[in-house]
Every structure is written in C-alpha cells, then in structure tokens.
Amino acid sequence: MRNVAVLGATGSIGGNTLDVIARHPERFRATVLSAHRQVEALVALCVRHRPQLAVIADPALEAELSRRLAAAGVRCEVASGHAALTTAAASTLCDTVVAAIVGAAGLDSTLAAARAGKRLLLANKESIVMAGPLLLEAVTAGGGALIPIDSEHNAIFQCLPGGRPELMRSGVRRLILTASGGPFRGRRREELTRITPDQACKHPNWVMGRKISVDSATLMNKGLEVIEAHHLFGAPAEAIEVVVHPQSLVHSMVEYVDGSVLAQLGNPDMRTALAHALAWPERVEAGVEPLNLAASPALQFEAPDLATFRCLALAFQALRAGGDAPAVLNAANEVAVEAFLAGALPFLSIADVVEAVLAELPAQAVVDVQVLVERDRTAREAARRVLRNAC
C-alpha cells in the first residue's frame, strides 16, 4: 500500500492521479490533498478520498475549509500556508508525493519531499528548471526516487535502460521530445497578433490548466521540458531535439548510437504516465483507452518554427547559458503569461518580455535555494518593469 500526497489535487494532474488511485484501493491511498484556493473542489475530493490531511495554500481560507469539511462529515486534519505544504510533503503521512503545484510555488515542497526520501512523481517542471542541480542533490541525499510524470519525460524514462539517467554511458545518441505544436501550429507571426487567452488555452489534444495551455501555445512548455530533460537524464543541449508531432501519439523517443530509435506510444491521456510512476517498476491498469493503430491517423513529424514560436529558442539559449538562466527564464515567463491571461499583454509579446529579462540578468551560478529564490524575485521584478515600460 502506497500512501500518496497529491499536492495540487484540484488541477488536471491531481484529478487524473486520484482517478488512478481510486481504481486500485488495494495498492494506493490518497493520504494528503492540497489546493491553492479552491475550497469547494478540495472538500469534494476529501469527501470521496478521505485523506488524513487537507492543506489549503491560502491561510485566509483555512477556517472555511474546516467548516465545510465538518459540514460534509469529513474528519481529517486541516492546515494552511506555504510551510504546511512543505511539512506535509516530508511527513510520515506519505511515502509518495505527486508534485503538481503549478509554477515556482511548488519548489519548496518538492525539495522537502526529495530530502525526506519520498518517491517523487514530478509534474512541477518549474522546480527542476529553476533548481535542477539542487533537486537532484536532494534526491540523492534523501535516498528516494524521482520519476517524471510529464508524458514526454516519462516516455524517455520508459525508453532508457532501467530508466537510469546515465544515458550517455548507455549508448544513447540523443533524446527526441515530441510537441503537439499547440493550437497555433502552422500559423505565421502575422496571424497571431490578436490571439485571445481563450484561443491560446484551447489545446487540440490535451486538457490542461490555463497557464500550461498558454505555455504549450508559445512552445515555452516544450522549452521548459528541454531543460528538464537535460537535468533528469544528463543530456547536453546538443543531444536534445524537439520535433512537432500533431497527433500526440508518440510521446518521445530515444535514439541509440547503433541507429535504433525507441519510442513510447499511447493515447494522449495523463493517466498512462501517472499509473506507470505510481506502480513502477510494476504496471497497473490506468483506465486509458487502448491505442488502435489501424484506426489512428497517419503520424506526422516536422521541425518547430522557431521564428514564430521564439520561446523554444529562448529556452535553449537559457540552457546553454547555464547557471540560474533557466530560473530567470521561468520567472519572466510566469509574469508574462499572467499578464497575457489578464488581457494586459499581446500573445506575441510573451517572448519579448522573456528575452528582455534574460538580456538584463546574465546567468549566475546556482549556490543555494535562498539565492535562487532571491534571483527569482529579481527576475519577476524585471519582467514587471518591462511590462510597465511597454504600456
């Protein structure tokens, strides 16, 4: 029986995780559930899954959460705030942590789970983009396991011998990350000048939250995944390639030096990667529709348009710069995407903001979490200043 903490339980990844858990009550139990501010949704999940602890990130909502849980007949501990999330991730209530909090807000709880030796199912790509070396050191020191649950990195994990990161010593030539191309694949820059948030969030294949949907539309999501692959699997930038695959059936590939290419295929459903990571090294049923290759469309692959979707090129630039450049990239992007979703920034200007902040803040060495957090704050201030000057 694995006791699972789902941090970010009310999001799409949290919901899919809980779906897999509910299918195997003899193997998994959701012992900790957290949400940012969605009290009603968190209460509904607690009614169904009966955790031992419910955490709301906003302390102002703790009393309301307690009241609603009591009214619903749910008896569990209630906590709130950033420190409560970090404590829960490292606590004895769980041996497995699904890190699905969106953005830099998930960094501390992810590091806490790693230091405590948990099986860490990583969906919060910002944690490893910001603090890759620190997170890997924490996993090693804690003696736990880090299993990616992004479909692309989970696919690579499955295609590598034993999922081990020492890929270059395993005869690997390159990692090939697939990208759907998002809702604007094939469009030219001049066709993207009046894009609305609702249009950007309308992904053709996946159901995701609004922030990650915008990142998918700009290809920044794929850029963050390139940086994540570098840290997870020890691959240099030149050994990572991105190809656009609009059908989203091939989730990623690994090319070996003998010419072999191993690919992981499946219907575009997050539960495949989640079930794999929860049960690894075993396999369990995930509720995913079997892939019918005979009925599937022809598989297409094409190079990404880096001139139109500049965020992917900026991510490669940050990776090559090294140090805290990926953290600066991530912080600037979060501010820019927030402004776009609020209607305060044009879609194409997201890349302009990120580029300006990267130019203003040259890469520095990653020393520790405190310095990194301060650098993150500085990058966000720089991005907001760029936004003000653009208005």
Side-chain angles (χ1 to χ4, degrees):
M1 175 65 70
R2 285 201 164 273
N3 294 316
V4 185
V6 185
L7 306 184
T10 56
S12 58
I13 292 171
N16 281 290
T17 301
L18 292 169
D19 181 271
V20 173
I21 287 173
R23 292 172 185 275
H24 303 280
E26 76 289 352
R27 297 183 65 119
F28 311 118
R29 182 187 175 198
T31 53
V32 179
L33 299 179
S34 87
H36 179 49
R37 302 189 80 253
Q38 302 88 341
V39 172
E40 185 175 349
L42 182 56
V43 169
L45 292 177
C46 290
V47 168
R48 181 178 181 190
H49 298 281
R50 302 285 167 164
Q52 293 172 259
L53 173 64
V55 182
I56 193 80
D58 187 345
L61 297 173
E62 181 177 348
E64 181 184 352
L65 176 60
S66 296
R67 177 177 56 78
R68 290 201 182 193
L69 286 172
V74 177
R75 299 181 62 184
C76 70
E77 285 187 67
V78 175
S80 67
H82 188 79
L85 283 169
T86 302
T87 299
S91 75
T92 57
L93 291 175
C94 59
D95 51 56
T96 301
V97 174
V98 178
I101 296 173
V102 176
L107 176 59
D108 285 346
S109 55
T110 300
L111 286 169
R115 294 187 189 110
K118 309 296 184 183
R119 172 175 289 195
L120 179 59
L121 276 55
L122 186 66
N124 175 259
K125 61 174 60 68
E126 290 86 357
S127 292
I128 197 160
V129 167
M130 288 178 63
L134 300 179
L135 179 57
L136 296 178
E137 288 172 12
V139 171
T140 300
L146 172 59
I147 305 178
I149 53 178
D150 264 346
S151 62
E152 295 81 2
H153 303 95
N154 186 264
I156 290 170
F157 186 93
Q158 294 189 52
C159 291
L160 289 173
R164 300 306 301 167
E166 300 86 359
L167 79 162
M168 303 315 288
R169 294 198 297 274
S170 302
V172 171
R173 178 178 288 145
R174 60 178 175 155
L175 308 180
I176 305 170
L177 298 175
T178 57
S180 69
F184 309 131
R185 181 181 70 90
R187 295 204 199 179
R188 299 183 300 274
R189 281 185 63 82
E190 56 267 28
E191 297 177 272
L192 302 177
T193 56
R194 297 181 180 275
I195 293 300
T196 67
D198 285 344
Q199 289 173 319
C201 291
K202 201 169 186 178
H203 196 280
N205 300 332
W206 297 92
V207 178
M208 305 179 292
R210 288 175 71 78
K211 192 270 180 183
I212 193 173
S213 294
V214 175
D215 283 348
S216 179
T218 64
L219 291 193
M220 177 59 87
N221 189 51
K222 202 56 50 180
L224 297 177
E225 288 173 3
V226 167
I227 298 169
E228 188 178 359
H230 161 74
H231 290 301
L232 286 172
F233 306 113
E238 58 271 18
I240 305 172
E241 182 179 342
V242 173
V243 296
V244 174
H245 168 54
Q247 292 76 33
S248 294
L249 296 180
V250 177
H251 299 299
S252 275
M253 295 169 272
V254 176
E255 182 183 42
Y256 288 85
V257 293
D258 61 6
S260 300
V261 178
L262 300 187
Q264 190 266 338
L265 285 75
N267 279 315
D269 192 315
M270 296 177 189
R271 292 175 296 176
T272 297
L274 287 161
H276 169 265
L278 283 167
W280 183 81
E282 300 176 30
R283 299 273 181 168
V284 295
E285 194 273 331
V288 177
E289 188 73 21
L291 178 61
N292 186 339
L293 286 172
S296 298
L299 303 183
Q300 299 170 268
F301 301 93
E302 60 195 51
D305 178 359
L306 298 181
T308 299
F309 301 98
R310 297 172 51 236
C311 285
L312 178 56
L314 290 171
F316 269 105
Q317 175 186 320
L319 174 58
R320 292 189 175 99
D324 63 6
V328 171
L329 172 98
N330 178 71
N333 179 66
E334 286 192 11
V335 172
V337 170
E338 183 180 9
F340 167 70
L341 287 172
L345 184 71
F347 178 77
L348 289 175
S349 294
I350 293 173
D352 296 335
V353 172
V354 174
E355 183 176 40
V357 175
L358 283 173
E360 181 177 333
L361 301 175
Q364 298 179 0
V366 176
V367 179
D368 55 35
V369 175
Q370 289 71 31
V371 172
L372 198 59
V373 168
E374 178 60 25
R375 188 68 160 170
D376 175 85
R377 186 188 64 78
T378 301
R380 290 172 191 275
E381 289 177 353
R384 294 186 185 102
R385 187 166 57 253
V386 171
L387 286 172
R388 288 194 299 271
N389 292 339
C391 293

